[in-house]
Amino acid sequence: MPAQLKVVETRCEKCACTKCQGPLATAPAPAQVSEQGIPLPGLLAYVLMAKFGYQLPLYHIEQVFTH
């Protein structure tokens, strides 16, 4: 089965009390592998295994995802 990419969209609800006009409350976001990035653990595992396990150059891995 060829590699597949899918977009996982995470939404955090924001809630405020309309009666008391209190502060805006936001639900906490789920933990990420990288604070500034968005890759999920499965994608990172695939890239690391392809790079170091199968010793593919990065441009070959890029070609897998563009086809």
Side-chain angles (χ1 to χ4, degrees), residues 2-3 60 62-67:
H60 279 255
E62 180 182 6
Q63 290 173 353
V64 169
F65 290 119
T66 57
H67 291 289

Side-chain angles (χ1 to χ4, degrees), residues 4 10 15 19-20 25 30 34 36-37 39-40 52-53 57 59 62 64 66:
Q4 298 178 352
T10 304
C15 302
K19 294 181 181 179
C20 67
S34 169
Q36 304 251 336
L40 295 177
F52 298 107
Y59 71 92
E62 180 182 6
V64 169
T66 57

